[in-house]
C-alpha cells in the first residue's frame, strides 16, 4: 500500500514509539463544523500529552494519508466534497483521486498495513434495526473479524440493534472486553442491557490480553467497550424517543445505505439541541485517552 506518512507518524514508526490510529468519518460525517475540527485537534493534543503520536487517517486526492497536517484536518472537517470511504471502496477512491474520510473498517485496514496496533473511535457500526428486512450490517463488523488490532469504542449506538450486533461479533470471533464494566455500552448511554462476559480493568490488562490473542494466532480484532463517562451520559430512556423518531424519518425519506448513519446522527443532534454532540465528543475523547494508554502499555 502506498502511504503518505506525516513527519510525526513516520518518526514514531521508525523509533517504535506508541501510535494511536484515529478515523476521519467521525470528523467529516459524524459531527458538524467547527465542533468537529475542535474535537479532532483535542484528540490529537490529548495523545501528545500522553506521549503517544496520533495518526488520523484519510484519503486526500487519491493519496492515503496516515497523520494529517492542520490544513488537511481542516479540509476533512469543513469541505462538503469529502466522501465516506469504507474498506471495500479504498481502491476505487484512490483510483478516482477522491478526497475521502475513512470509516472504522477502512481505518483499520490502512492502520494495520502501516503497522499500527491500536485505534480509537466513537462507536462502531453494527447491525441496523430492521436488518432482518434490509440486511444492513456495517462492514465494520467484517473488518473487526479479520484485522488484528485493538479497537476502542463506546460500544455501538442505540440507532443499531445492539443485541444482534453483539451476537454477530461473537459469531465472527471478536472478543469484546468491557472496560471496567460487565455490560456492552450504548454509546450515548452507559448501559444497554446486553451482558459481556469478558472484562478488563486497566490499559495494562488490555495490552497483555491483546498480546496473548496474537500469540495464540488469533486474527480478529480485540474490541474494547469503554462506557461514556458518567457526567456526559444521556440515559437510554431519554435517548430512545429521539432515536426512534430519527429512524422513522429516515424510513419516510427513503434514506438508506451509507447515508443512513450520518443522517441519524445529524437528526439526533438537532432533536437533542446539541446535547448528543457534547456526549459524542466526550465519549470519543474518553476512548482516545484509553487508546493512548493501551498503545503506551503495548510498548513498555
Ligand atoms: N459511529 C459514530 N459516529 C460515526 C460513525 C459511527 O458514533 O461517525 C461512523 C464510523 O466511521 C463507522 C461508520 O465506521 O459510521 C459506520 O457506517 P455504516 O453504518 O454505514 O457502516
Ligand atoms: Mn450499512
Amino acid at each position: 500500500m502506498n502511504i503518505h506518512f506525516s513527519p510525526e507518524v513516520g518518526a514514531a514508526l521508525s523509533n517504535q514509539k506508541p501510535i494511536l490510529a484515529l478515523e476521519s468519518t467521525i470528523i467529516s460525517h459524524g459531527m458538524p463544523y467547527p465542533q468537529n475540527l475542535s474535537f479532532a485537534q483535542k484528540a490529537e493534543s490529548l495523545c501528545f500529552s500522553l506521549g503517544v503520536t496520533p495518526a488520523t487517517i484519510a484519503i486526500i486526492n487519491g493519496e492515503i494519508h496516515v497523520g494529517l497536517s492542520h490544513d488537511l484536518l481542516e479540509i476533512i472537517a469543513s469541505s462538503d466534497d469529502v466522501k465516506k470511504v469504507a474498506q471495500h471502496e479504498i481502491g476505487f477512491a484512490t483510483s478516482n483521486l477522491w478526497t475521502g474520510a475513512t470509516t472504522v473498517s477502512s481505518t483499520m485496514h490502512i492502520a494495520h498495513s502501516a503497522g499500527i496496533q491500536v485505534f480509537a473511535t466513537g462507536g462502531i457500526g453494527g447491525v441496523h434495526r430492521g436488518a432482518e428486512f434490509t440486511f444492513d450490517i456495517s462492514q465494520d463488523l467484517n473488518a473487526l473479524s479479520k484485522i488484528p488490532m485493538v479497537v476502542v469504542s463506546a460500544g455501538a449506538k442505540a440507532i443499531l440493534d445492539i443485541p444482534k450486533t453483539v451476537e454477530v461479533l461473537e459469531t465472527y470471533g471478536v472478543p469484546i472486553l468491557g472496560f471496567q464494566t460487565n455490560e456492552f455500552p450504548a454509546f450515548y448511554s452507559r448501559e444497554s442491557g446486553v451482558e459481556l462476559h469478558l472484562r478488563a480493568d486497566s490499559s495494562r490488562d488490555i495490552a497483555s490480553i491483546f498480546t496473548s490473542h496474537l500469540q495464540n494466532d488469533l486474527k480478529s480484532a480485540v474490541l474494547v467497550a469503554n462506557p461514556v463517562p458518567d457526567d456526559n451520559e444521556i440515559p437510554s430512556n431519554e435517548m430512545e424517543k429521539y432515536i426512534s423518531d430519527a429512524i422513522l424519518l429516515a424510513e419516510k425519506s427513503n434514506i438508506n445505505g451509507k447515508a443512513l448513519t450520518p443522517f441519524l446522527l445529524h437528526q439526533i443532534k438537532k432533536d437533542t439541541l446539541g446535547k448528543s454532540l457534547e456526549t459524542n465528543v466526550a465519549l470519543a475523547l474518553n476512548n482516545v485517552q484509553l487508546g493512548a494508554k493501551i498503545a503506551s502499555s503495548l510498548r513498555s
Side-chain angles (χ1 to χ4, degrees):
M1 190 183 295
N2 219 337
I3 297 179
H4 184 282
F5 291 102
S6 68
E8 293 83 1
V9 173
L13 276 170
S14 35
N15 298 318
Q16 307 224 337
K17 295 281 189 223
I19 302 176
L20 182 67
L22 301 167
E23 62 150 315
S24 45
T25 295
I26 188 176
I27 305 170
S28 64
H29 290 71
M31 297 175 186
Y33 184 80
Q35 289 94 333
N36 58 355
L37 181 62
S38 112
F39 157 72
Q41 288 166 334
K42 277 189 199 143
E44 298 209 338
S45 33
L46 180 55
C47 285
F48 283 122
S49 75
L50 293 165
V52 172
T53 304
T56 305
I57 295 180
I59 299 173
I60 309 286
N61 297 324
E63 200 174 54
I64 293 174
H65 283 252
V66 173
L68 300 183
S69 65
H70 176 83
D71 288 356
L72 295 183
L73 213 49
E74 174 94 38
I75 292 173
I76 292 294
S78 63
S79 159
D80 289 335
D81 299 329
V82 177
K83 300 203 166 52
K84 173 180 165 186
V85 180
Q87 187 183 11
H88 68 292
E89 297 165 305
I90 295 173
F92 192 92
T94 57
S95 164
N96 284 287
L97 308 185
W98 277 8
T99 291
T102 51
T103 65
V104 169
S105 65
S106 47
T107 304
M108 287 178 73
H109 181 81
I110 295 166
H112 180 64
S113 275
I116 300 173
Q117 289 190 302
V118 189
F119 163 38
T121 177
I124 56 161
V127 180
H128 279 269
R129 295 190 193 183
E132 59 273 41
F133 305 109
T134 62
F135 269 52
D136 190 348
I137 300 176
S138 176
Q139 198 176 158
D140 292 353
L141 301 186
N142 183 51
L144 286 162
S145 75
K146 293 188 175 134
I147 305 176
M149 299 185 68
V150 178
V151 178
V152 183
S153 76
K157 240 174 266 89
I159 59 172
L160 301 170
D161 187 320
I162 294 181
K164 288 194 180 73
T165 300
V166 171
E167 287 297 343
V168 170
L169 285 166
E170 183 186 312
T171 306
Y172 280 4
V174 180
I176 308 174
L177 304 181
F179 183 68
Q180 300 177 345
T181 181
N182 298 312
E183 191 167 341
F184 193 71
F187 196 79
Y188 301 117
S189 326
R190 294 177 60 85
E191 277 145 32
S192 67
V194 177
E195 205 184 314
L196 292 177
H197 57 278
L198 304 180
R199 171 184 173 124
D201 288 303
S202 71
S203 57
R204 228 158 236 300
D205 287 352
I206 296 168
S208 110
I209 292 163
F210 181 61
T211 305
S212 342
H213 185 78
L214 299 182
Q215 270 165 0
N216 287 290
D217 292 336
L218 293 164
K219 307 293 184 207
S220 75
V222 168
L223 179 63
V224 177
N226 183 28
V228 58
D230 266 323
D231 291 351
N232 305 101
E233 175 182 42
I234 311 179
S236 49
N237 54 2
E238 200 178 308
M239 277 317 294
E240 185 49 40
K241 173 147 179 47
Y242 299 118
I243 290 170
S244 46
D245 284 357
I247 291 176
L248 216 61
L249 186 63
E251 274 167 15
K252 274 197 206 139
S253 325
N254 228 342
I255 291 178
N256 47 43
K258 65 199 268 181
L260 182 60
T261 297
F263 175 86
L264 295 175
L265 291 179
H266 173 77
Q267 202 56 37
I268 291 167
K269 189 217 131 203
K270 235 170 50 187
D271 292 350
T272 60
L273 305 173
K275 194 169 159 195
S276 69
L277 177 60
E278 260 175 61
T279 299
N280 199 344
V281 169
L283 67 85
L285 290 174
N286 190 45
N287 294 340
V288 169
Q289 183 172 39
L290 179 57
K293 289 183 180 163
I294 298 167
S296 293
S297 297
L298 277 168
R299 289 274 171 235
S300 58

mmCIF file of all heavy atoms in Angstrom, residues 128 136-138 257, ligand 2:
data_model
loop_
_atom_site.group_PDB
_atom_site.id
_atom_site.type_symbol
_atom_site.label_atom_id
_atom_site.label_comp_id
_atom_site.label_asym_id
_atom_site.label_seq_id
_atom_site.Cartn_x
_atom_site.Cartn_y
_atom_site.Cartn_z
ATOM 1 N N HIS A 128 -27.988 -2.879 11.839
ATOM 2 C CA HIS A 128 -29.035 -1.856 11.956
ATOM 3 C C HIS A 128 -30.352 -2.477 12.403
ATOM 4 O O HIS A 128 -30.614 -3.647 12.159
ATOM 5 C CB HIS A 128 -29.213 -1.114 10.626
ATOM 6 C CG HIS A 128 -28.174 -0.042 10.432
ATOM 7 N ND1 HIS A 128 -28.359 1.257 10.839
ATOM 8 C CD2 HIS A 128 -26.926 -0.106 9.924
ATOM 9 C CE1 HIS A 128 -27.264 1.954 10.578
ATOM 10 N NE2 HIS A 128 -26.379 1.152 10.024
ATOM 11 N N ASP A 136 -28.925 -4.597 6.376
ATOM 12 C CA ASP A 136 -27.926 -3.552 6.592
ATOM 13 C C ASP A 136 -27.082 -3.854 7.824
ATOM 14 O O ASP A 136 -27.500 -3.627 8.963
ATOM 15 C CB ASP A 136 -28.607 -2.179 6.721
ATOM 16 C CG ASP A 136 -27.603 -1.032 6.710
ATOM 17 O OD1 ASP A 136 -26.378 -1.305 6.835
ATOM 18 O OD2 ASP A 136 -28.009 0.127 6.579
ATOM 19 N N ILE A 137 -25.914 -4.408 7.562
ATOM 20 C CA ILE A 137 -24.956 -4.731 8.625
ATOM 21 C C ILE A 137 -23.635 -4.086 8.231
ATOM 22 O O ILE A 137 -23.144 -4.303 7.129
ATOM 23 C CB ILE A 137 -24.777 -6.259 8.765
ATOM 24 C CG1 ILE A 137 -26.124 -6.908 9.104
ATOM 25 C CG2 ILE A 137 -23.714 -6.584 9.815
ATOM 26 C CD1 ILE A 137 -26.089 -8.422 9.184
ATOM 27 N N SER A 138 -23.094 -3.251 9.109
ATOM 28 C CA SER A 138 -21.900 -2.483 8.760
ATOM 29 C C SER A 138 -20.707 -3.386 8.451
ATOM 30 O O SER A 138 -20.481 -4.397 9.107
ATOM 31 C CB SER A 138 -21.536 -1.555 9.918
ATOM 32 O OG SER A 138 -20.332 -0.884 9.616
ATOM 33 N N GLY A 257 -28.478 2.762 3.191
ATOM 34 C CA GLY A 257 -27.087 2.564 2.772
ATOM 35 C C GLY A 257 -26.156 3.432 3.586
ATOM 36 O O GLY A 257 -26.392 3.684 4.768
HETATM 37 MN MN1 LIG B 2 -24.675 -0.035 6.072
#
